Amino acid sequence: MAVSRTRAARAARRRKRRLSRVVNDLTSHQWAALLDAWGACAYCGASGVPLQRDCLQPVSHGGRYTLANVVPACASCNTSKWNLEVTSWIRRKHLDERAFLLRHAEIQALLSEEFASTVDG
């Protein structure tokens, strides 16, 4: 079978190798809890649109799909952020960085407590 040599195919193979080398432990239950907690796009607040899993620290920079590293994002924000560091991207888009970071910390504290008790019990 011939291997595709397009730029997109090479990037997809690199991403697949990167993801296979790390533990990505975000469960569907945790993802549902993140969606409920945020209620909309974590960045722009768009609601009523499909939300995607976005890694705060991009996979290309060593990020993983974990409860602490994933937020729900609309397709527009997720595509725009690409593999950039989240706070510099938020500043560039003129979004409220402080509000995002505070909300993220609140949600992480709440969900960490919830899922820690689930693991312990």
Side-chain angles (χ1 to χ4, degrees), residues 26-40:
L26 183 72
T27 66
S28 58
H29 184 63
Q30 290 171 331
W31 173 241
L34 277 169
L35 288 173
D36 288 343
W38 282 97

Side-chain angles (χ1 to χ4, degrees), residues 50-72:
L51 297 174
Q52 304 170 352
R53 297 171 189 187
D54 182 50
C55 290
L56 296 176
Q57 180 181 4
V59 171
S60 61
H61 295 238
R64 303 177 309 137
Y65 285 92
T66 62
L67 183 62
N69 193 46
V70 172
V71 296

